[in-house]
Amino acid sequence: MPFTAHRKMQLYGALLLLPAAILLATFAYLPTIATVINSLFLPGFRGAPTEFVGMENYQVLFDDPTFWKVARNNLIYAVGTIPTSIALALCMALFVNGKLRGRGFVRMAYFTPTILPMIAAANIWMFFYAPQIGLFNKLLGALGFSGVNWLGDPNVALGSVIVMSVWKEAGFFMIFYLAALQGIPPELKEASDLEGTSRWSFFWRVTFPLLMPTTLFVLINSLINSVRVVDHLFILTKGGPNNATNLLLYYVYENAFSFFDRTTAATITVVILLVLAVVATLKFTILDRRTHYQ
């Protein structure tokens, strides 16, 4: 078979994709397959071979009340952080996109929490939340109110973590909205002004629909962020008190490295991957069809 120019281009394209394919296979596909396999076995103890148990690990997991409490916490965390971060990021982008004195400084101030390492940010907020010397309790005391055990009270601990996460993420999402706003043709605003359209109508009928691709991108990223929370929980609460702030990925970490229960950790990871796969399917089948990219 002759080695035509078309086949040379195919080979060239395959070679260009090869490094990315190797990285994906090494750090994504193979670990995923290994995790699925591990979730179907019980580890052998004292040299005994592993035992295939099929879906028994999943049955045990679904019968565990702690797992459902952690899953509920993660759902509350996602509901608390995703819409709030997106709405706040959009408001900040609209504010700094207008004619504003010191606009560059305000943009930098909004974006600064994003560049802080999560460990550093968690330590800063630990000082804010400290029961005796914390900033928030000092402010409450100055106003005549009693202090709150922000991270020790099960009723407010998860909300405190949500507030810190929103503070950390909103500035990052603002950058994407700001770039999208600057890409909207100014002729649309000029035409709407000639027609006498109000600013509110222009936002909902023109600006927001044109921002839908950015909103979809930010939504997917915020969803991923909501299920990969580990580091600031490790600093702030370690999942406590009484699992009030324990989230799914931190629960995986606990089972794998604190309890040395790799099978349960693998089972929870597979459940998380399946949930994300369902969300991704909904994204491609429903949301993409309602999003205008041009």
Side-chain angles (χ1 to χ4, degrees), residues 35-292:
T35 301
V36 173
I37 294 174
N38 289 335
S39 70
L40 302 176
F41 287 83
L42 279 179
F45 296 98
R46 296 182 179 179
T50 58
E51 179 185 357
F52 178 77
V53 294
M55 303 300 292
E56 183 178 331
N57 290 327
Y58 294 91
Q59 183 63 46
V60 172
L61 179 67
F62 294 148
D63 290 337
D64 182 11
T66 303
F67 167 75
W68 290 110
K69 183 175 183 178
V70 172
R72 175 178 172 273
N73 290 343
N74 217 137
L75 180 61
I76 295 173
Y77 179 86
V79 172
T81 56
I82 294 174
T84 308
S85 298
I86 294 175
L88 186 59
L90 179 56
C91 291
M92 291 191 301
L94 290 170
F95 179 66
V96 299
N97 190 52
K99 296 179 180 180
L100 178 68
R101 181 173 297 180
R103 183 171 55 183
F105 176 78
V106 177
R107 291 177 180 177
M108 182 186 68
Y110 284 161
F111 188 71
T112 297
T114 300
I115 63 177
L116 290 176
M118 183 58 77
I119 300 299
N123 278 283
I124 292 172
W125 280 81
M126 180 176 286
F127 166 73
F128 291 164
Y129 287 142
Q132 303 298 329
I133 62 172
L135 176 63
F136 293 156
N137 281 345
K138 288 290 186 181
L139 293 175
L140 288 176
L143 296 174
F145 297 99
S146 58
V148 177
N149 191 356
W150 299 99
L151 299 177
D153 186 348
N155 296 318
V156 299
L158 185 58
S160 301
V161 175
I162 289 173
V163 169
M164 195 214 76
S165 300
V166 171
W167 172 83
K168 186 76 169 63
E169 292 182 355
F172 177 68
F173 297 147
M174 177 206 70
I175 295 299
F176 297 103
Y177 275 122
L178 183 59
L181 287 171
Q182 293 177 350
I184 296 177
E187 294 82 5
L188 297 177
K189 184 67 171 80
E190 295 172 0
S192 69
D193 291 339
L194 291 176
E195 295 291 336
T197 306
S198 65
R199 296 178 62 181
W200 186 252
S201 296
F202 178 77
F203 173 78
W204 280 112
R205 295 179 180 274
V206 179
T207 304
F208 191 70
L210 292 175
L211 292 177
M212 278 305 296
T214 304
T215 301
L216 184 59
F217 173 80
V218 169
L219 176 63
I220 296 301
N221 276 272
S222 59
L223 178 63
I224 294 173
N225 290 342
S226 69
V227 295
R228 64 181 186 92
V229 181
V230 174
D231 35 15
H232 57 283
L233 287 183
F234 187 83
I235 297 296
L236 291 174
T237 64
K238 290 183 170 55
N242 193 24
N243 289 314
T245 60
N246 205 347
L247 304 180
L248 285 172
L249 200 59
Y250 188 81
Y251 193 46
V252 172
Y253 165 80
E254 275 191 327
N255 279 278
F257 300 106
S258 297
F259 309 145
F260 299 101
D261 188 354
R262 304 292 178 86
T263 299
T264 301
T267 306
I268 301 171
T269 303
V270 173
V271 172
I272 295 173
L273 292 176
L274 289 175
V275 172
L276 292 178
V278 171
V279 173
T281 302
L282 293 175
K283 182 261 183 186
F284 286 115
T285 56
I286 298 177
L287 294 180
D288 267 359
R289 295 179 180 178
R290 300 184 179 184
T291 302
H292 302 281

